Amino acid sequence: MSRPRIVIVGAGFAGYRTARTLSRLTRHQADITLLNPTDYFLYLPLLPQVAAGILEPRRVSVSLSGTLPHVRLVLGEADGIDLDGHTVHYTGPEGEEGTLPFDRLVLAAGSVNKLLPIPGVAEHAHGFRGLPEALYLRDHVTRQVELAAAADDRAECAARCTFVVVGAGYTGTEVAAHGAMYTDAQVRKHPMRTGMRPRWMLLDVAPRVMPEMDERLSRTAERVLRQRGVDVRMGTSVKEATHDGVVLTDGSTVDTRTLVWCVGVRPDPLVESLGLPMERGRLLVDPHLQVPGRPELFACGDVAAVPDLNQPGQYTPMTAQHAWRHGKVCAQNVAASLGIGERRAYRHRDMGFVVDLGGAKAAANPLGLPMSGPAAGAVTRGYHLAAMPGNRVRVAADWLLDAVLPRQAVQLGLVRSWSVPLESSSPEVARVPGGPERHGRAAGPTGQRPDVEETGNQPGGEPARNQPGGEPAKTQPGGEPARNQPGGESAKTQPGGEPAKNQPGGEPAKEQPGAEHAKNQPRGEPAGSRSHGGRAKGGQSGSPRASGKPRRAVEAAGPRPAREGSGKPGRAPRASGAGYAGKRPTAPSGPSRSAGPPTDPGPEPPANQPPPGPDIAPGPVKRTDRRAAEGDS
């Protein structure tokens, strides 16, 4: 008799704990497979210290294969689940597709950045959910201070030295606290104009900082922030974001080049494709973390709405502490379903919270005892060392070195702005030119993604030219500026930028880096508005959108005539999706070249195209999700 197959989707706090506990309980009596986009478990609570230069990225990333020796690791992102067929379809990091059969399935896909319908936020803000975003923020803040020190204009210097953080929960508060210390230390090495200094702002519609915590701890955190010069504005948020600043809900305007979005998180959209009962975007489960009516399906962490037995009628919040505990109980119940041990319901006891405010400052209430100052700082760091499943010695060594040595303030430029879009459903993976695009997953029971409209140079496409502190698009991998752009070169002179010759239906070559539209294509798009490495929408065979907006990669299916009477050039009817729920076909890789230069480069970019913002590609994006859930990890 073959051993039962257990597939765990996601290696966050819940998924990692489930895999580790199951490996110990089953003792080689089951085949455990862990599906995750990265080969590490990320300890999110210490991510602000990575952005502030205290810890190196590998310190907060724990190797999965090194700490889970009896668990098979499969690198990939789940994009379709067939519950009746007991299979999970996934796409690997290089675009390859695969299928994993299962007898028991644990969904622990975690959460992604939560978007709000605020104009300009999706284009000009960046989240804080993964290592790429933390590394980008560290480079970006360092660059802005360096550019401000060299600026001749006082207004430009002030704008570059203004950093706006939206969301005063755990993450936003720690980002602002550590960021203020980091920039103050950097300014001492880069003398600025007389009277000029970095300015950090923390905004939230809540009445106080960290409303989830005890009021005394909230006052402690706010006092520390104000002592460091952070402008804390409660009851205020962003009304509109532009390329050179933000408009606040109180009517004031703040000139800035940095907008950090820490409003909260929403469950991964993957679970919505299952067509099962949901609660504010989370999959409903019973107290045993099992989906009713599906004995083979379990869910835990941020994607699961777990009943709170201590507060009837409510569900456990989306925090790392609950996700870690979910994982242990879920593993015990999965093992019990295989005849190993007994089932148990999830019931928790509040152990308190800790918030690291940088240096020796912190706010904590271990076991309900409010603490502040150096004592709270010691408890906070001791808690993190005890909670981390690895790298404890390295983390402690970095803390010791940070206490006695100055921080290294250098920008490596490894993560560009367009590599970490706010609307990404995989914030743990940075987008790369020519690679498979990791856009939002399916958002409906049929497995079809909602229509997503993007404009040229949107994150995931080509970076905008002349971004502050960045290089022009034509010097970036796979990116070229649009034709006739000021200072730009024609796309046909760029390597790999020639269109496909006589391509059926006038479609551009798929996955072509920096490609122009195809030869003789009617009403084509400007070259600079193409998205790199995008996957096709699940099951759709129609041509991508035109009107100066980038195209998602599609599978070639012969000539595709434009829709009659559409009113938009180049649009074609879409076919209904088929196959797995949420499955996204992968476009073929590799650029296609033609034998000669283009003869019809197409129209210039739209006249109403907004100017490029600071390290942010312009253009509005419609939200890919239809619903959002409150929460802050």
Side-chain angles (χ1 to χ4, degrees), residues 578-624:
Y580 295 98
K583 178 178 177 181
R584 296 190 298 264
T586 305
S589 60
S592 173
R593 298 178 182 271
S594 67
T599 59
D600 182 16
E604 298 181 6
N608 59 354
Q609 178 76 17
D615 288 323
I616 310 294
V621 174
K622 291 185 179 180
R623 296 174 59 195
T624 60

Side-chain angles (χ1 to χ4, degrees), residues 79 89-92 95-99 555 583-586:
D79 51 17
H89 184 273
Y90 69 92
T91 303
E96 69 279 11
E97 296 186 351
T99 301
E555 294 183 319
K583 178 178 177 181
R584 296 190 298 264
T586 305

Side-chain angles (χ1 to χ4, degrees), residues 470-487:
E471 300 177 0
K474 66 179 181 180
T475 64
Q476 297 184 9
E480 295 106 18
R483 291 186 68 258
N484 300 327
Q485 220 174 4

Side-chain angles (χ1 to χ4, degrees), residues 247-259:
V247 179
L248 305 183
T249 52
D250 59 7
S252 60
T253 300
V254 178
D255 294 333
T256 181
R257 301 291 189 270
T258 308
L259 181 59

Side-chain angles (χ1 to χ4, degrees), residues 83 133 185 235 257 315 334 427:
L83 293 178
E133 292 172 323
R257 301 291 189 270
Y315 300 93
V334 171

Side-chain angles (χ1 to χ4, degrees), residues 359-442:
K361 301 296 181 65
N365 61 341
L367 301 177
L369 178 63
M371 301 177 65
S372 61
V379 169
T380 298
R381 296 203 168 183
Y383 168 80
H384 287 315
L385 285 180
M388 288 195 68
N391 296 344
R392 296 187 180 96
V393 175
R394 290 184 173 92
V395 170
D398 275 5
W399 283 341
L400 178 61
L401 292 176
D402 180 71
V404 298
L405 297 176
R407 297 183 195 175
Q408 293 178 304
V410 294
Q411 48 163 326
L412 302 178
L414 300 178
V415 181
R416 309 297 298 179
S417 170
W418 51 271
S419 299
V420 284
L422 182 62
E423 47 79 34
S424 173
S425 68
S426 296
E428 66 273 16
V429 179
R431 291 184 181 175
V432 295
E437 181 184 355
R438 303 182 182 274
H439 47 69
R441 295 188 179 96

Side-chain angles (χ1 to χ4, degrees), residues 272-275 442-450 538-539 576-583:
E272 296 186 8
S273 66
L274 300 177
T446 64
Q448 294 184 356
R449 293 185 63 251
S576 60
Y580 295 98
K583 178 178 177 181

